[in-house]
Amino acid sequence: MRRHALLALAFATAPCSAALAPEALTLPPGFKLEVYATEVPNARQLALGAKGTVFAGSRDAGKVYALVDADGDGRAEKVRTIATGLRMPSGIAFRDGDLYIGAVDRVLVLRGIEDKLDTPPKPEVVTDKLPGETHHGWKFIAFGPDGRLYVPIGAPCNICDKGNDYAKLISMKADGSDWRDEAYGIRNTVGFDWQPRTQQLWFTDNGRDMLGDELPSDELNRITRRGEHFGYPYCHQGDTLDPEFGTGKSCKDYTPPMFALGPHVGAIGMRFYTGSTFPAEYRGAAIIAEHGSWNRSKKSGYRVVAVETDGAKVGKPHVLVDGFQRDEVAQGRPADVLVMPDGALLVSDDYAGAVYRVSYAAKPAAKGK
């Protein structure tokens, strides 16, 4: 099958129309999964407002949603569509009362949105100068500790060399000015966060396609200095030169991943767990939504994992939520994770159009006789 036909098949997969039943998913002992919201078509990146509103972007639906849990019972009673007709508005970020939206070639903003959920304002353009290619053009955006908005510019291809114009992460001021390249050699990151102790940015990156089932691995990376290069399209997973673009290159010249997540797992949404209610091994861990493979003879990913780290090195990975595919059939596809103030974790599922809530309550010790 030709490459473009494979891509068409991957993106033509019809989503299901209902949230997975909690009992269909598996979690470690003590953890509980509940449905936080349904009827959130193609839910992708999540963001939390100052007044407790959970916002969700989408890719194929072209919409942005507001999810409100007014009574605090861990389930959103109402889902509102607050923007529509946008071009792959997957990425969203909340700051100072405003919701920023990454929509391929532009960043938009909804001003004072939490006070206007029933009558949302028209999106204002922050910048419309980003590249317009839709191949890896959808975004994950976030404000850093420096107050700047971080925006990826993905490679407009599976594998190609466009120099420093693509395959990178940039930042800008909140008004869209003062663009700055932060890192290069990043095929397509749609998940990143800042490690709380070091304030360094960590990100997921998807490996290239068409090198077979086992190559290359998706990556969890860490930026230690501005201008760092992570290898694409010359070197993959820190140790494998590209058969087309790696000639004359050395993997030693590029920053290797902190952790190899596995081939084609579709590692996208990523946040550090900053809550205090999960067990110790999860605190400070990088929680990653593995969206799942589309081009592998046996599916990989389709789960949420936690990679232990202290900010300097990584430790053991843990599978937090599993079961989004069964018997090689996708039932759901996790897209992002979000730590809530009460320590619970939200997980968006763009295949089921739903958001789940993961919490932890250790079972009481059995009383002695």
Side-chain angles (χ1 to χ4, degrees):
M1 187 179 291
R2 295 173 64 86
R3 180 179 301 181
H4 69 272
L6 278 170
L7 290 171
L9 177 62
F11 294 117
T13 303
C16 61
S17 58
L20 286 171
E23 57 269 23
L25 298 168
T26 58
L27 296 89
F31 284 92
K32 178 182 180 181
L33 183 141
E34 302 166 286
V35 176
Y36 183 82
T38 58
E39 299 180 4
V40 194
N42 198 232
R44 296 280 292 198
Q45 187 177 354
L46 302 173
L48 181 64
K51 298 182 180 180
T53 308
V54 173
F55 298 98
S58 69
R59 191 182 74 178
D60 301 331
K63 299 178 180 180
V64 179
Y65 311 97
L67 289 54
V68 178
D69 174 14
D71 59 9
D73 66 348
R75 183 180 178 92
E77 295 84 24
K78 192 167 186 178
V79 177
R80 297 173 174 89
T81 299
I82 56 172
T84 189
L86 303 180
R87 193 179 184 206
M88 294 183 170
S90 176
I92 55 173
F94 187 88
R95 184 175 178 83
D96 296 335
D98 303 330
L99 186 70
Y100 292 75
I101 304 167
V104 184
D105 63 342
R106 61 194 57 208
V107 175
L108 309 166
V109 63
L110 297 173
R111 302 288 186 193
I113 185 60
E114 280 190 292
D115 296 325
K116 306 169 185 176
L117 294 178
D118 290 319
T119 55
K122 182 180 179 180
E124 300 176 16
V125 176
V126 174
T127 181
D128 58 2
K129 305 301 183 184
L130 292 161
E133 290 90 345
T134 55
H135 196 139
H136 297 150
W138 57 91
K139 310 295 185 193
F140 180 106
I141 64 175
F143 281 94
D146 55 5
R148 297 174 65 86
L149 181 63
Y150 285 68
V151 180
I153 298 179
C157 56
N158 170 38
I159 185 75
C160 58
D161 188 354
K162 298 293 184 178
N164 287 340
D165 292 335
Y166 293 85
K168 64 181 179 178
L169 182 67
I170 70 169
S171 72
M172 64 184 73
K173 290 183 178 179
D175 63 2
S177 66
D178 189 30
W179 287 27
R180 187 172 76 196
D181 287 357
E182 299 291 344
Y184 305 108
I186 302 169
R187 182 173 179 266
N188 182 41
T189 179
V190 277
F192 49 85
D193 196 9
W194 285 261
Q195 205 280 336
R197 184 178 62 83
T198 66
Q199 299 294 289
Q200 291 176 332
L201 189 150
W202 291 51
F203 65 92
T204 58
D205 195 11
N206 295 159
R208 65 156 291 180
D209 302 313
M210 311 305 172
L211 287 185
D213 276 4
E214 303 305 325
L215 285 173
S217 178
D218 284 5
E219 301 172 1
L220 176 62
N221 296 286
R222 177 186 63 175
I223 298 176
T224 60
R225 56 178 175 81
R226 189 174 303 143
E228 210 162 354
H229 198 295
F230 290 86
Y232 177 90
Y234 316 115
C235 176
H236 309 293
Q237 66 180 33
D239 60 8
T240 301
L241 288 173
D242 188 82
E244 183 176 356
F245 293 97
T247 302
K249 305 291 185 180
S250 172
C251 284
K252 294 179 180 179
D253 294 333
Y254 309 106
T255 302
M258 293 295 292
F259 190 78
L261 293 161
H264 310 299
V265 297
I268 53 176
M270 172 259 168
R271 316 286 174 118
F272 286 102
Y273 183 74
T274 54
S276 59
T277 58
F278 283 13
E281 60 266 31
Y282 293 90
R283 296 176 197 172
I287 311 292
I288 300 167
E290 294 186 349
H291 197 231
S293 61
W294 62 268
N295 59 346
R296 201 167 181 267
S297 60
K298 185 175 182 180
K299 284 183 168 59
S300 59
Y302 293 91
R303 60 186 188 175
V304 177
V305 300
V307 179
E308 292 184 29
T309 179
D310 61 1
K313 58 184 184 299
V314 297
K316 183 180 179 182
H318 304 272
V319 178
L320 180 58
V321 187
D322 205 354
F324 286 96
Q325 69 91 8
R326 293 187 183 272
D327 300 322
E328 297 298 302
V329 177
Q331 308 295 321
R333 302 192 76 180
D336 194 21
V337 295
L338 180 67
V339 182
M340 297 294 280
D342 64 357
L345 183 79
L346 298 187
V347 180
S348 62
D349 179 347
D350 67 345
Y351 187 82
V355 178
Y356 310 103
R357 180 178 182 271
V358 177
S359 58
Y360 180 82
K363 295 181 180 179
K367 294 182 179 179
K369 294 182 179 180

